[in-house]
PDB file of all heavy atoms in Angstrom:
ATOM      1  N   ILE A   6       6.775  16.817   0.605  1.00 94.00           N
ATOM      2  CA  ILE A   6       6.126  17.803  -0.270  1.00 94.00           C
ATOM      3  C   ILE A   6       5.628  18.909   0.549  1.00 94.00           C
ATOM      4  O   ILE A   6       5.078  18.654   1.609  1.00 94.00           O
ATOM      5  CB  ILE A   6       5.041  17.134  -1.119  1.00 94.00           C
ATOM      6  CG1 ILE A   6       4.547  18.203  -2.182  1.00 94.00           C
ATOM      7  CG2 ILE A   6       4.005  16.632  -0.402  1.00 94.00           C
ATOM      8  CD1 ILE A   6       3.699  17.675  -3.238  1.00 94.00           C
ATOM      9  N   ARG A   7       5.863  20.160   0.146  1.00 94.00           N
ATOM     10  CA  ARG A   7       5.489  21.332   1.060  1.00 94.00           C
ATOM     11  C   ARG A   7       4.381  22.112   0.336  1.00 94.00           C
ATOM     12  O   ARG A   7       4.127  21.979  -0.860  1.00 94.00           O
ATOM     13  CB  ARG A   7       6.637  22.178   1.235  1.00 94.00           C
ATOM     14  CG  ARG A   7       7.807  21.546   2.125  1.00 94.00           C
ATOM     15  CD  ARG A   7       9.019  22.434   2.184  1.00 94.00           C
ATOM     16  NE  ARG A   7       9.953  21.813   3.056  1.00 94.00           N
ATOM     17  CZ  ARG A   7      10.820  20.825   2.758  1.00 94.00           C
ATOM     18  NH1 ARG A   7      10.828  20.330   1.470  1.00 94.00           N
ATOM     19  NH2 ARG A   7      11.688  20.301   3.550  1.00 94.00           N
ATOM     20  N   PRO A   8       3.626  22.881   1.141  1.00 89.00           N
ATOM     21  CA  PRO A   8       2.604  23.774   0.525  1.00 89.00           C
ATOM     22  C   PRO A   8       3.173  24.577  -0.648  1.00 89.00           C
ATOM     23  O   PRO A   8       4.341  24.989  -0.548  1.00 89.00           O
ATOM     24  CB  PRO A   8       2.141  24.636   1.642  1.00 89.00           C
ATOM     25  CG  PRO A   8       2.476  23.892   2.871  1.00 89.00           C
ATOM     26  CD  PRO A   8       3.730  23.096   2.534  1.00 89.00           C
ATOM     27  N   GLY A   9       2.519  24.612  -1.693  1.00 91.00           N
ATOM     28  CA  GLY A   9       2.892  25.385  -2.939  1.00 91.00           C
ATOM     29  C   GLY A   9       3.634  24.455  -3.911  1.00 91.00           C
ATOM     30  O   GLY A   9       3.909  24.861  -5.071  1.00 91.00           O
ATOM     31  N   GLU A  10       3.960  23.235  -3.499  1.00 94.00           N
ATOM     32  CA  GLU A  10       4.553  22.236  -4.387  1.00 94.00           C
ATOM     33  C   GLU A  10       3.632  21.293  -4.966  1.00 94.00           C
ATOM     34  O   GLU A  10       4.018  20.547  -5.905  1.00 94.00           O
ATOM     35  CB  GLU A  10       5.731  21.476  -3.675  1.00 94.00           C
ATOM     36  CG  GLU A  10       6.816  22.345  -3.163  1.00 94.00           C
ATOM     37  CD  GLU A  10       7.947  21.607  -2.395  1.00 94.00           C
ATOM     38  OE1 GLU A  10       7.661  20.453  -1.968  1.00 94.00           O
ATOM     39  OE2 GLU A  10       9.001  22.255  -2.161  1.00 94.00           O
ATOM     40  N   PHE A  11       2.352  21.374  -4.547  1.00 93.00           N
ATOM     41  CA  PHE A  11       1.371  20.403  -5.168  1.00 93.00           C
ATOM     42  C   PHE A  11       0.999  20.839  -6.598  1.00 93.00           C
ATOM     43  O   PHE A  11       0.827  22.012  -6.834  1.00 93.00           O
ATOM     44  CB  PHE A  11       0.040  20.463  -4.319  1.00 93.00           C
ATOM     45  CG  PHE A  11       0.242  19.884  -2.879  1.00 93.00           C
ATOM     46  CD1 PHE A  11       0.574  20.772  -1.809  1.00 93.00           C
ATOM     47  CD2 PHE A  11      -0.029  18.548  -2.666  1.00 93.00           C
ATOM     48  CE1 PHE A  11       0.692  20.209  -0.583  1.00 93.00           C
ATOM     49  CE2 PHE A  11       0.100  18.144  -1.360  1.00 93.00           C
ATOM     50  CZ  PHE A  11       0.494  18.863  -0.375  1.00 93.00           C
ATOM     51  N   GLU A  12       1.102  19.893  -7.518  1.00 96.00           N
ATOM     52  CA  GLU A  12       0.645  20.180  -8.829  1.00 96.00           C
ATOM     53  C   GLU A  12      -0.768  19.524  -9.108  1.00 96.00           C
ATOM     54  O   GLU A  12      -0.964  18.412  -9.177  1.00 96.00           O
ATOM     55  CB  GLU A  12       1.701  19.472  -9.825  1.00 96.00           C
ATOM     56  CG  GLU A  12       2.989  20.209  -9.768  1.00 96.00           C
ATOM     57  CD  GLU A  12       3.975  19.692 -10.813  1.00 96.00           C
ATOM     58  OE1 GLU A  12       3.576  19.195 -11.740  1.00 96.00           O
ATOM     59  OE2 GLU A  12       5.190  19.798 -10.477  1.00 96.00           O
ATOM     60  N   PHE A  13      -1.754  20.368  -9.078  1.00 97.00           N
ATOM     61  CA  PHE A  13      -3.086  19.980  -9.379  1.00 97.00           C
ATOM     62  C   PHE A  13      -3.457  19.881 -10.817  1.00 97.00           C
ATOM     63  O   PHE A  13      -3.096  20.755 -11.657  1.00 97.00           O
ATOM     64  CB  PHE A  13      -4.016  20.943  -8.681  1.00 97.00           C
ATOM     65  CG  PHE A  13      -4.121  20.787  -7.069  1.00 97.00           C
ATOM     66  CD1 PHE A  13      -3.165  21.534  -6.376  1.00 97.00           C
ATOM     67  CD2 PHE A  13      -4.958  19.919  -6.453  1.00 97.00           C
ATOM     68  CE1 PHE A  13      -3.164  21.350  -4.938  1.00 97.00           C
ATOM     69  CE2 PHE A  13      -5.022  19.734  -5.189  1.00 97.00           C
ATOM     70  CZ  PHE A  13      -3.987  20.451  -4.361  1.00 97.00           C
ATOM     71  N   ALA A  14      -4.241  18.873 -11.163  1.00 97.00           N
ATOM     72  CA  ALA A  14      -4.745  18.660 -12.547  1.00 97.00           C
ATOM     73  C   ALA A  14      -6.210  18.605 -12.442  1.00 97.00           C
ATOM     74  O   ALA A  14      -6.796  17.969 -11.427  1.00 97.00           O
ATOM     75  CB  ALA A  14      -4.212  17.418 -13.116  1.00 97.00           C
ATOM     76  N   GLN A  15      -6.936  19.194 -13.356  1.00 97.00           N
ATOM     77  CA  GLN A  15      -8.411  19.173 -13.322  1.00 97.00           C
ATOM     78  C   GLN A  15      -8.903  17.774 -13.654  1.00 97.00           C
ATOM     79  O   GLN A  15      -8.420  17.130 -14.546  1.00 97.00           O
ATOM     80  CB  GLN A  15      -9.024  20.068 -14.316  1.00 97.00           C
ATOM     81  CG  GLN A  15      -8.961  21.578 -13.873  1.00 97.00           C
ATOM     82  CD  GLN A  15      -9.810  22.471 -14.663  1.00 97.00           C
ATOM     83  OE1 GLN A  15     -10.413  22.157 -15.643  1.00 97.00           O
ATOM     84  NE2 GLN A  15     -10.052  23.676 -14.140  1.00 97.00           N
ATOM     85  N   ARG A  16      -9.930  17.356 -12.923  1.00 95.00           N
ATOM     86  CA  ARG A  16     -10.618  16.044 -13.154  1.00 95.00           C
ATOM     87  C   ARG A  16     -12.153  16.263 -13.147  1.00 95.00           C
ATOM     88  O   ARG A  16     -12.787  15.967 -12.182  1.00 95.00           O
ATOM     89  CB  ARG A  16     -10.200  15.111 -11.991  1.00 95.00           C
ATOM     90  CG  ARG A  16      -8.767  14.663 -12.018  1.00 95.00           C
ATOM     91  CD  ARG A  16      -8.434  13.621 -13.131  1.00 95.00           C
ATOM     92  NE  ARG A  16      -9.247  12.384 -12.968  1.00 95.00           N
ATOM     93  CZ  ARG A  16      -8.780  11.371 -12.176  1.00 95.00           C
ATOM     94  NH1 ARG A  16      -7.626  11.419 -11.519  1.00 95.00           N
ATOM     95  NH2 ARG A  16      -9.489  10.282 -12.174  1.00 95.00           N
ATOM     96  N   PRO A  17     -12.649  16.900 -14.230  1.00 93.00           N
ATOM     97  CA  PRO A  17     -14.142  17.037 -14.387  1.00 93.00           C
ATOM     98  C   PRO A  17     -14.817  15.693 -14.287  1.00 93.00           C
ATOM     99  O   PRO A  17     -14.430  14.646 -14.653  1.00 93.00           O
ATOM    100  CB  PRO A  17     -14.342  17.770 -15.639  1.00 93.00           C
ATOM    101  CG  PRO A  17     -13.116  17.460 -16.403  1.00 93.00           C
ATOM    102  CD  PRO A  17     -12.057  17.135 -15.453  1.00 93.00           C
ATOM    103  N   TYR A  18     -16.043  15.821 -13.693  1.00 93.00           N
ATOM    104  CA  TYR A  18     -16.880  14.538 -13.681  1.00 93.00           C
ATOM    105  C   TYR A  18     -18.243  14.827 -14.445  1.00 93.00           C
ATOM    106  O   TYR A  18     -18.417  14.378 -15.548  1.00 93.00           O
ATOM    107  CB  TYR A  18     -17.193  14.119 -12.255  1.00 93.00           C
ATOM    108  CG  TYR A  18     -18.269  13.044 -12.053  1.00 93.00           C
ATOM    109  CD1 TYR A  18     -18.335  12.007 -13.004  1.00 93.00           C
ATOM    110  CD2 TYR A  18     -19.245  13.135 -11.108  1.00 93.00           C
ATOM    111  CE1 TYR A  18     -19.294  10.999 -12.862  1.00 93.00           C
ATOM    112  CE2 TYR A  18     -20.291  12.235 -11.014  1.00 93.00           C
ATOM    113  CZ  TYR A  18     -20.242  11.140 -11.850  1.00 93.00           C
ATOM    114  OH  TYR A  18     -21.286  10.197 -11.802  1.00 93.00           O
ATOM    115  N   ARG A  19     -19.147  15.676 -13.885  1.00 91.00           N
ATOM    116  CA  ARG A  19     -20.396  15.925 -14.523  1.00 91.00           C
ATOM    117  C   ARG A  19     -20.217  17.421 -15.207  1.00 91.00           C
ATOM    118  O   ARG A  19     -19.699  18.320 -14.502  1.00 91.00           O
ATOM    119  CB  ARG A  19     -21.546  15.959 -13.557  1.00 91.00           C
ATOM    120  CG  ARG A  19     -21.678  14.586 -12.842  1.00 91.00           C
ATOM    121  CD  ARG A  19     -22.856  14.527 -11.961  1.00 91.00           C
ATOM    122  NE  ARG A  19     -23.112  15.777 -11.166  1.00 91.00           N
ATOM    123  CZ  ARG A  19     -24.249  16.031 -10.638  1.00 91.00           C
ATOM    124  NH1 ARG A  19     -25.361  15.251 -10.668  1.00 91.00           N
ATOM    125  NH2 ARG A  19     -24.438  17.161  -9.934  1.00 91.00           N
ATOM    126  N   GLU A  20     -20.845  17.535 -16.414  1.00 92.00           N
ATOM    127  CA  GLU A  20     -20.778  18.853 -17.060  1.00 92.00           C
ATOM    128  C   GLU A  20     -21.433  19.899 -16.255  1.00 92.00           C
ATOM    129  O   GLU A  20     -20.910  21.051 -16.376  1.00 92.00           O
ATOM    130  CB  GLU A  20     -21.599  18.698 -18.386  1.00 92.00           C
ATOM    131  CG  GLU A  20     -20.712  18.474 -19.579  1.00 92.00           C
ATOM    132  CD  GLU A  20     -21.577  18.479 -20.851  1.00 92.00           C
ATOM    133  OE1 GLU A  20     -22.424  19.418 -21.002  1.00 92.00           O
ATOM    134  OE2 GLU A  20     -21.307  17.654 -21.662  1.00 92.00           O
ATOM    135  N   GLN A  21     -22.460  19.661 -15.470  1.00 92.00           N
ATOM    136  CA  GLN A  21     -23.202  20.717 -14.676  1.00 92.00           C
ATOM    137  C   GLN A  21     -22.332  21.161 -13.406  1.00 92.00           C
ATOM    138  O   GLN A  21     -22.714  22.109 -12.765  1.00 92.00           O
ATOM    139  CB  GLN A  21     -24.523  20.318 -14.341  1.00 92.00           C
ATOM    140  CG  GLN A  21     -24.641  19.103 -13.447  1.00 92.00           C
ATOM    141  CD  GLN A  21     -24.796  17.772 -14.081  1.00 92.00           C
ATOM    142  OE1 GLN A  21     -24.202  17.575 -15.079  1.00 92.00           O
ATOM    143  NE2 GLN A  21     -25.525  16.889 -13.553  1.00 92.00           N
ATOM    144  N   ASP A  22     -21.308  20.414 -13.068  1.00 93.00           N
ATOM    145  CA  ASP A  22     -20.550  20.734 -11.916  1.00 93.00           C
ATOM    146  C   ASP A  22     -19.213  21.450 -12.210  1.00 93.00           C
ATOM    147  O   ASP A  22     -18.591  21.110 -13.293  1.00 93.00           O
ATOM    148  CB  ASP A  22     -20.170  19.476 -11.093  1.00 93.00           C
ATOM    149  CG  ASP A  22     -21.321  18.683 -10.539  1.00 93.00           C
ATOM    150  OD1 ASP A  22     -22.412  19.240 -10.431  1.00 93.00           O
ATOM    151  OD2 ASP A  22     -21.101  17.521 -10.122  1.00 93.00           O
ATOM    152  N   PRO A  23     -18.752  22.337 -11.307  1.00 94.00           N
ATOM    153  CA  PRO A  23     -17.341  22.749 -11.523  1.00 94.00           C
ATOM    154  C   PRO A  23     -16.403  21.621 -11.373  1.00 94.00           C
ATOM    155  O   PRO A  23     -16.649  20.673 -10.675  1.00 94.00           O
ATOM    156  CB  PRO A  23     -17.203  23.854 -10.444  1.00 94.00           C
ATOM    157  CG  PRO A  23     -18.240  23.563  -9.419  1.00 94.00           C
ATOM    158  CD  PRO A  23     -19.289  22.866 -10.114  1.00 94.00           C
ATOM    159  N   PRO A  24     -15.352  21.660 -12.226  1.00 96.00           N
ATOM    160  CA  PRO A  24     -14.362  20.569 -12.208  1.00 96.00           C
ATOM    161  C   PRO A  24     -13.534  20.504 -10.877  1.00 96.00           C
ATOM    162  O   PRO A  24     -13.175  21.444 -10.242  1.00 96.00           O
ATOM    163  CB  PRO A  24     -13.292  20.875 -13.330  1.00 96.00           C
ATOM    164  CG  PRO A  24     -13.521  22.340 -13.573  1.00 96.00           C
ATOM    165  CD  PRO A  24     -14.815  22.630 -13.124  1.00 96.00           C
ATOM    166  N   ARG A  25     -13.383  19.212 -10.426  1.00 97.00           N
ATOM    167  CA  ARG A  25     -12.622  18.890  -9.271  1.00 97.00           C
ATOM    168  C   ARG A  25     -11.051  18.996  -9.734  1.00 97.00           C
ATOM    169  O   ARG A  25     -10.861  19.040 -10.946  1.00 97.00           O
ATOM    170  CB  ARG A  25     -12.817  17.569  -8.757  1.00 97.00           C
ATOM    171  CG  ARG A  25     -14.233  17.338  -8.424  1.00 97.00           C
ATOM    172  CD  ARG A  25     -14.543  15.815  -8.303  1.00 97.00           C
ATOM    173  NE  ARG A  25     -14.318  15.134  -9.528  1.00 97.00           N
ATOM    174  CZ  ARG A  25     -13.909  13.892  -9.620  1.00 97.00           C
ATOM    175  NH1 ARG A  25     -13.693  13.193  -8.537  1.00 97.00           N
ATOM    176  NH2 ARG A  25     -13.716  13.294 -10.790  1.00 97.00           N
ATOM    177  N   SER A  26     -10.106  19.030  -8.833  1.00 97.00           N
ATOM    178  CA  SER A  26      -8.769  18.869  -9.170  1.00 97.00           C
ATOM    179  C   SER A  26      -8.061  18.014  -8.249  1.00 97.00           C
ATOM    180  O   SER A  26      -8.411  17.823  -7.086  1.00 97.00           O
ATOM    181  CB  SER A  26      -8.132  20.314  -9.261  1.00 97.00           C
ATOM    182  OG  SER A  26      -8.233  20.965  -8.025  1.00 97.00           O
ATOM    183  N   VAL A  27      -6.933  17.360  -8.691  1.00 97.00           N
ATOM    184  CA  VAL A  27      -6.227  16.346  -7.844  1.00 97.00           C
ATOM    185  C   VAL A  27      -4.714  16.663  -8.007  1.00 97.00           C
ATOM    186  O   VAL A  27      -4.298  16.897  -9.084  1.00 97.00           O
ATOM    187  CB  VAL A  27      -6.551  14.899  -8.296  1.00 97.00           C
ATOM    188  CG1 VAL A  27      -6.163  14.657  -9.752  1.00 97.00           C
ATOM    189  CG2 VAL A  27      -6.014  13.968  -7.349  1.00 97.00           C
ATOM    190  N   ALA A  28      -4.082  16.391  -6.894  1.00 97.00           N
ATOM    191  CA  ALA A  28      -2.610  16.369  -6.873  1.00 97.00           C
ATOM    192  C   ALA A  28      -2.181  14.987  -6.527  1.00 97.00           C
ATOM    193  O   ALA A  28      -2.501  14.649  -5.330  1.00 97.00           O
ATOM    194  CB  ALA A  28      -2.046  17.475  -5.882  1.00 97.00           C
ATOM    195  N   GLY A  29      -1.571  14.275  -7.318  1.00 96.00           N
ATOM    196  CA  GLY A  29      -1.093  12.884  -7.048  1.00 96.00           C
ATOM    197  C   GLY A  29       0.102  12.926  -6.123  1.00 96.00           C
ATOM    198  O   GLY A  29       1.036  13.746  -6.357  1.00 96.00           O
ATOM    199  N   LEU A  30       0.058  12.119  -5.009  1.00 96.00           N
ATOM    200  CA  LEU A  30       1.249  12.094  -4.065  1.00 96.00           C
ATOM    201  C   LEU A  30       2.057  10.859  -4.274  1.00 96.00           C
ATOM    202  O   LEU A  30       3.187  10.846  -3.686  1.00 96.00           O
ATOM    203  CB  LEU A  30       0.685  12.289  -2.678  1.00 96.00           C
ATOM    204  CG  LEU A  30      -0.088  13.470  -2.344  1.00 96.00           C
ATOM    205  CD1 LEU A  30      -0.598  13.428  -0.928  1.00 96.00           C
ATOM    206  CD2 LEU A  30       0.690  14.840  -2.651  1.00 96.00           C
ATOM    207  N   THR A  31       1.557   9.862  -4.844  1.00 95.00           N
ATOM    208  CA  THR A  31       2.129   8.517  -4.869  1.00 95.00           C
ATOM    209  C   THR A  31       3.508   8.602  -5.427  1.00 95.00           C
ATOM    210  O   THR A  31       4.510   8.122  -4.762  1.00 95.00           O
ATOM    211  CB  THR A  31       1.370   7.534  -5.742  1.00 95.00           C
ATOM    212  OG1 THR A  31      -0.047   7.571  -5.160  1.00 95.00           O
ATOM    213  CG2 THR A  31       1.847   6.132  -5.687  1.00 95.00           C
ATOM    214  N   ASP A  32       3.771   9.105  -6.596  1.00 93.00           N
ATOM    215  CA  ASP A  32       5.115   9.300  -7.229  1.00 93.00           C
ATOM    216  C   ASP A  32       5.929  10.260  -6.554  1.00 93.00           C
ATOM    217  O   ASP A  32       7.139   9.987  -6.369  1.00 93.00           O
ATOM    218  CB  ASP A  32       4.909   9.575  -8.749  1.00 93.00           C
ATOM    219  CG  ASP A  32       4.192   8.364  -9.441  1.00 93.00           C
ATOM    220  OD1 ASP A  32       4.327   7.218  -8.999  1.00 93.00           O
ATOM    221  OD2 ASP A  32       3.689   8.719 -10.547  1.00 93.00           O
ATOM    222  N   VAL A  33       5.339  11.443  -6.235  1.00 93.00           N
ATOM    223  CA  VAL A  33       6.156  12.533  -5.580  1.00 93.00           C
ATOM    224  C   VAL A  33       6.781  12.063  -4.295  1.00 93.00           C
ATOM    225  O   VAL A  33       7.929  12.396  -4.026  1.00 93.00           O
ATOM    226  CB  VAL A  33       5.175  13.718  -5.402  1.00 93.00           C
ATOM    227  CG1 VAL A  33       5.887  14.857  -4.566  1.00 93.00           C
ATOM    228  CG2 VAL A  33       4.631  14.290  -6.625  1.00 93.00           C
TER     229      VAL A  33
END
Side-chain angles (χ1 to χ4, degrees):
I6 187 168
R7 293 177 177 79
E10 296 177 347
F11 294 90
E12 293 186 26
F13 285 90
Q15 284 195 347
R16 292 285 297 271
Y18 169 43
R19 301 185 320 162
E20 264 185 40
Q21 64 266 38
D22 294 344
R25 304 164 300 148
S26 58
V27 62
L30 303 179
T31 304
D32 295 336
V33 173

